[in-house]
């Protein structure tokens, strides 16, 4: 059996997870939460991670009931993400790998989300919609997406917003500026409520995502959809995608917040796949890459 420990800390979540041949042995994490209306700065986030990462590591080992000798490989998030938090996690992972005399693996954060989703849902060969963006939000109490989701449930009136889709590309540029400008006018004149605006924002953005996903399925002849990433927890997105899949006779796969939100187990799972296919990262190559594209990863563990 192969046991891999994974370190994740690309944004405001810091997590350590342990995987043994597809079984999640442990997956503790902490979240850096700033006051409402404030974002999380890279330096402050890194300071938070440095303060708790060893505690989370200890929890992961104790919860899994294993010792360092039982671990076969140490995986860490190489990128993409915020520079300072990524460096913090990489330093700890490199140190641990050397102290324990274990091979090291740098993992693409997005690939981690995808591999975790495939493991948990057992999707065979899905079209993957990776929906994320916590780094671009301005509040995290507990998360801006969650707050919008809850307010949207109480919305009743749809406000038309910019809708831009070209092929399988979407453009969200301008939509927040538009809704912020519309909000001040429409709310003061009682044309709509804040809940209506949240509802409209969700419906518009998710409609765009469903459209491009369906188009990708048609091009690939796919009958499965897997939603991953932090925004993948949104129930309304899952509902809308489910309607589309039902109309096409396809299956929808999604995970809950234990695994769709950034966590260490997803890095361990991707690392497990990579390690089993013969990949390792030399210490001299174990840097971080803030802009690490998904299509830059050579997938050697799938046909």
């Amino acid at each position: 059996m192969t046991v891999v420990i994974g370190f994740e800390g690309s944004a405001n979540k810091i997590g350590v997870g342990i995987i043994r041949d597809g079984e999640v042995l442990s997956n503790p994490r902490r979240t850096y939460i700033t006051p409402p209306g404030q974002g999380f700065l890279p330096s402050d986030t890194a300071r938070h991670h440095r303060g708790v990462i060893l505690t989370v590591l200890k929890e992961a080992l104790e919860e899994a009931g294993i010792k360092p000798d039982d671990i076969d490989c140490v995986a860490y998030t190489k990128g993409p993400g915020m520079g300072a938090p990524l460096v913090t996690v990489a330093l700890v992972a490199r140190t641990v790998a050397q102290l324990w005399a274990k091979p090291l693996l740098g993992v693409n954060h997005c690939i981690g989300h995808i591999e975790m989703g495939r493991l948990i849902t057992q999707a065979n060969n899905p079209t993957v919609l990776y929906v994320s963006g916590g780094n671009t939000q301005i509040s995290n109490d507990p998360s801006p997406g969650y707050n919008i989701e809850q307010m949207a449930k109480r919305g009743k009136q749809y406000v038309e917003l910019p809708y831009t889709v070209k092929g399988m590309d979407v453009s969200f540029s301008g939509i927040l500026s538009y809704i912020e400008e519309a909000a001040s006018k429409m709310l003061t004149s009682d044309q709509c409520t804040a809940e209506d605006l949240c509802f409209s924002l969700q419906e518009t953005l998710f409609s765009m995502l469903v459209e491009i996903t369906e188009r990708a399925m048609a091009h690939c002849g796919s009958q499965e959809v897997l939603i991953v990433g932090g925004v993948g927890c949104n129930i309304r997105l899952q509902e809308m995608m489910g309607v589309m899949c039902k109309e096409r006779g396809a299956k929808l796969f999604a995970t809950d917040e234990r695994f769709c939100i950034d966590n260490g187990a997803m890095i361990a799972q991707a690392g497990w796949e990579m390690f089993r296919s013969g990949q390792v990262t030399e210490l001299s190559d174990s840097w971080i890459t803030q802009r690490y594209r998904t299509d830059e990863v050579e997938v050697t563990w799938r046909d």
Side-chain angles (χ1 to χ4, degrees), residues 77-288:
T77 301
K78 178 178 179 179
M82 298 193 300
L86 283 172
V87 169
T88 297
V89 172
L91 283 171
V92 174
R94 284 200 292 259
T95 302
V96 164
Q98 292 178 84
L99 287 174
W100 296 348
K102 305 295 180 181
L104 189 65
L105 260 175
V107 173
N108 179 285
H109 176 86
C110 309
I111 296 294
H113 274 296
I114 295 169
E115 290 301 338
M116 197 66 200
R118 295 187 68 151
L119 171 66
I120 297 300
T121 65
Q122 292 298 295
N124 180 38
N125 187 27
T127 295
V128 180
L129 174 65
Y130 172 52
V131 204
S132 188
N135 296 359
T136 62
Q137 303 298 320
I138 58 173
S139 173
N140 199 66
D141 183 28
S143 70
Y146 177 82
N147 293 341
I148 291 174
E149 180 181 8
Q150 301 314 307
M151 291 186 71
K153 292 177 181 178
R154 302 190 294 273
K156 296 180 175 61
Q157 176 185 346
Y158 178 76
V159 178
E160 189 171 346
L161 299 172
Y163 186 104
T164 307
V165 171
K166 293 183 179 179
M168 281 175 283
D169 292 326
V170 297
S171 175
F172 296 147
S173 62
I175 191 169
L176 287 180
S177 300
Y178 180 92
I179 202 170
E180 286 174 355
E181 182 179 352
S184 60
K185 297 177 181 178
M186 299 184 74
L187 293 178
T188 54
S189 59
D190 293 328
Q191 296 182 51
C192 68
T193 65
E195 288 79 4
D196 291 333
L197 290 176
C198 288
F199 166 75
S200 303
L201 182 63
Q202 270 201 168
E203 294 297 300
T204 302
L205 297 181
F206 292 168
S207 293
M208 295 164 68
L209 295 176
V210 171
E211 178 182 336
I212 63 171
T213 302
E214 183 174 19
R215 188 167 290 116
M217 294 174 69
H219 277 286
C220 299
S222 174
Q223 287 298 103
E224 295 180 337
V225 174
L226 172 62
I227 305 177
V228 298
V231 184
C233 295
N234 189 291
I235 300 301
R236 180 55 182 156
L237 174 58
Q238 294 181 17
E239 287 176 352
M240 295 173 69
M241 195 68 70
V243 170
M244 181 273 288
C245 287
K246 184 177 181 181
E247 292 176 349
R248 296 183 61 87
K251 292 183 179 180
L252 172 64
F253 298 91
T255 62
D256 58 33
E257 63 181 15
R258 292 174 301 167
F259 303 113
C260 65
I261 295 174
D262 293 353
N263 62 90
M266 72 182 203
I267 303 302
Q269 175 59 21
W272 184 91
E273 295 281 7
M274 295 168 68
F275 183 66
R276 298 266 293 190
S277 70
Q279 291 194 39
V280 292
T281 301
E282 297 298 329
L283 192 63
S284 57
D285 295 328
S286 60
W287 54 72
I288 60 103

Side-chain angles (χ1 to χ4, degrees), residues 7 14 16 28 30 48-62 88 91-93 95-96 99-100:
F7 292 81
I14 178 73
V16 180
R30 297 286 190 280
H48 166 267
H49 290 1
R50 289 195 298 270
V52 300
I53 190 169
L54 294 183
T55 300
V56 178
L57 171 57
K58 182 179 179 181
E59 288 179 6
L61 291 171
E62 291 178 348
T88 297
L91 283 171
V92 174
T95 302
V96 164
L99 287 174
W100 296 348

